[in-house]
């Protein structure tokens, strides 16, 4: 019954593409238009205004991928995430290490695995999303510390698997995560989220709706990267990997009075609120309602269904 209610609250959103997208294919065997993902992106003209669909055929693509800000309206799709893998190995500052960096607006990713294989001991971003109106469906985002840099803009993630250990979903974005699986590989008290909201006037935050949380040991739900950090979990299953206190103030007690950390109708051993930190919120239906809709990220204006028809590419190819 809860699942049905959750589904009805979010609703089904379908907005057709205004025109069929231009179709490009990436295939390592040489049977497509390009053998590298980045070559397909580079083929899209600067200041692009046409929808472009890039189909990535199964394979392990060892490359860093960069979608520049002047190439919006790209959709990149794999056959399935298990077989379509973009991977790189790099650690360092968060602005430099992303395996897959999206700066363009109106980007959609479907059925891709994006992983940073560096391991532990440093910042290792797998996916960085720095454009507005970005959506990801059925993707796997894998790393350790700082796996998903959800930096800025309005974003939607549905049916994604996100794995890491420390602050592995972090940034200043205004994002809705629906039916995603968050898996902590922290060895102790790593935080799942580190949302950065710097003032009460900023309309940003992370909402996790009808998600699942698991872990190999224990983890916190989050800690504030900014003093007004805002994170809400609703209708989410939390395994006993979540520590009873739930949240951490990152050593700054002053943030306890300004952060907004809420929970609504969650389930599982890790969802018990009786031992939560006193500054966490157990939301009422009225308090939770604004977060339980795609309107919270203006989704009706930009989230669209997958296209059903395509047109021949006008771009020159290079293999």
């Amino acid at each position: 019954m809860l699942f049905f209610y959750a589904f009805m609250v979010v609703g089904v959103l379908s907005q057709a593409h205004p025109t069929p997208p231009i179709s490009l294919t990436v295939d390592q065997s040489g049977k497509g238009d390009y053998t590298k993902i980045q070559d397909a992106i580079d083929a899209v003209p600067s200041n692009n205004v046409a929808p472009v669909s890039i189909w990535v055929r199964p394979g392990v693509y060892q490359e860093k991928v960069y979608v520049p800000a002047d190439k919006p309206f790209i959709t990149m799709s794999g056959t399935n995430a298990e077989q379509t893998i973009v991977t790189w190995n790099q650690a360092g500052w968060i602005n430099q290490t992303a395996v897959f960096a999206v700066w363009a607006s109106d980007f959609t990713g479907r059925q891709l695995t994006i992983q940073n294989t560096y391991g532990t001991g440093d910042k290792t971003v797998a996916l960085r999303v720095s454009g507005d109106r970005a959506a990801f469906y059925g993707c796997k985002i894998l790393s350790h510390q700082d796996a998903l840099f959800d930096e800025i803009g309005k974003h939607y993630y549905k049916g994604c698997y996100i794995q890491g250990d420390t602050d592995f979903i972090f940034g200043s974005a205004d994002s809705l995560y629906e039916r995603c699986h968050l898996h902590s590989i922290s060895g102790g008290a790593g935080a799942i989220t580190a949302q950065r909201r710097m003032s009460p006037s900023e309309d940003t935050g992370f909402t996790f709706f009808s998600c699942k949380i698991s872990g190999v040991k224990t983890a916190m739900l989050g800690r504030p990267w900014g003093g007004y950090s805002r994170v809400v979990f609703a209708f989410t299953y939390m395994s006993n990997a979540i520590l009873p206190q739930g949240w951490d103030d990152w050593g700054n007690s002053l943030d306890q009075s300004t952060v907004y950390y809420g929970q609504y109708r969650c389930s599982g051993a890790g969802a018990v609120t009786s031992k939560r930190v006193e500054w966490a919120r157990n939301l009422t239906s009225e308090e939770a309602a604004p977060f339980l809709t795609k309107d919270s990220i203006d989704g009706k204006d930009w989230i669209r269904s997958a296209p059903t028809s395509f047109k021949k590419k006008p771009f020159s190819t290079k293999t």
Side-chain angles (χ1 to χ4, degrees):
M1 187 65 182
L2 285 181
F3 179 83
F4 176 77
Y5 176 75
F7 180 80
M8 293 301 293
V9 171
V10 169
V12 178
L13 190 62
S14 176
Q15 180 177 334
H17 289 271
T19 57
I22 298 158
S23 180
L24 304 174
T25 302
V26 180
D27 189 334
Q28 289 179 323
S29 71
K31 296 179 180 179
D33 301 308
Y34 305 92
T35 58
K36 293 184 178 180
I37 296 170
Q38 191 63 52
D39 287 345
I41 294 169
D42 292 345
V44 178
S46 296
N47 303 311
N48 177 56
V49 295
V52 177
S53 179
I54 299 175
W55 294 95
V56 185
R57 289 180 177 160
V60 178
Y61 295 82
Q62 295 185 348
E63 56 178 304
K64 291 188 71 171
V65 175
Y66 173 71
V67 186
D70 64 349
K71 298 189 178 186
F73 309 116
I74 291 176
T75 294
M76 185 174 296
S77 304
T79 304
N80 62 65
E82 297 295 334
Q83 296 180 329
T84 312
I85 301 168
V86 186
T87 182
W88 198 252
N89 180 330
Q90 186 174 354
W93 183 234
I94 56 175
N95 290 327
Q96 301 171 339
T97 65
V99 174
F100 199 116
V102 178
W103 287 86
S105 295
D106 298 289
F107 178 89
T108 302
R110 297 179 183 274
Q111 298 296 328
L112 301 167
T113 289
I114 301 166
Q115 64 179 6
N116 190 325
T117 60
Y118 179 86
T120 60
D122 208 338
K123 300 174 178 67
T124 55
V125 177
L127 173 63
R128 176 178 183 172
V129 189
S130 302
D132 198 16
R133 300 181 301 277
F136 294 84
Y137 300 87
C139 291
K140 296 181 73 173
I141 302 158
L142 312 175
S143 188
H144 285 263
Q145 183 172 347
D146 300 335
L148 172 53
F149 188 5
D150 201 11
E151 186 184 15
I152 192 169
K154 293 186 181 297
H155 306 151
Y156 178 56
Y157 303 82
K158 184 174 182 180
C160 294
Y161 178 91
I162 307 167
Q163 176 179 290
D165 52 24
T166 303
D167 306 332
F168 66 90
I169 302 174
F170 75 107
S172 304
D174 187 21
S175 296
L176 175 61
Y177 296 77
E178 183 181 356
R179 300 183 195 173
C180 292
H181 183 173
L182 319 177
H183 183 64
S184 170
I185 53 175
S186 168
I192 293 173
T193 67
Q195 202 276 334
R196 191 183 193 193
R197 182 169 173 256
M198 301 302 293
S199 77
S201 63
E202 289 183 18
D203 187 17
T204 69
F206 299 158
T207 297
F208 297 89
F209 182 94
S210 195
C211 292
K212 175 183 177 180
I213 299 175
S214 59
V216 297
K217 290 190 178 178
T218 57
M220 297 284 189
L221 292 171
R223 57 181 183 170
W225 193 16
Y228 291 82
S229 178
R230 181 162 60 186
V231 181
V232 170
F233 287 89
F235 296 101
T236 291
Y237 172 82
M238 302 179 182
S239 75
N240 59 6
I242 297 303
L243 291 165
Q245 61 268 39
W247 307 90
D248 180 70
D249 64 12
W250 215 332
N252 187 350
S253 60
L254 295 177
D255 289 345
Q256 295 179 10
S257 62
T258 55
V259 299
Y260 191 104
Y261 288 155
Q263 187 171 316
Y264 179 68
R265 299 186 73 173
C266 294
S267 61
V272 177
T273 59
S274 59
K275 294 184 180 179
R276 288 287 192 258
V277 292
E278 60 182 11
W279 36 277
R281 302 167 186 250
N282 196 11
L283 302 179
T284 65
S285 297
E286 291 74 20
E287 290 170 330
F291 299 98
L292 306 183
T293 169
K294 292 187 181 74
D295 289 341
S296 65
I297 54 170
D298 300 329
K300 290 181 180 178
D301 296 332
W302 60 272
I303 295 176
R304 57 188 182 272
S305 60
T308 57
S309 62
F310 305 88
K311 64 181 180 179
K312 187 177 180 180
K313 57 191 179 300
F315 311 137
S316 60
T317 62
K318 51 183 179 180
T319 58

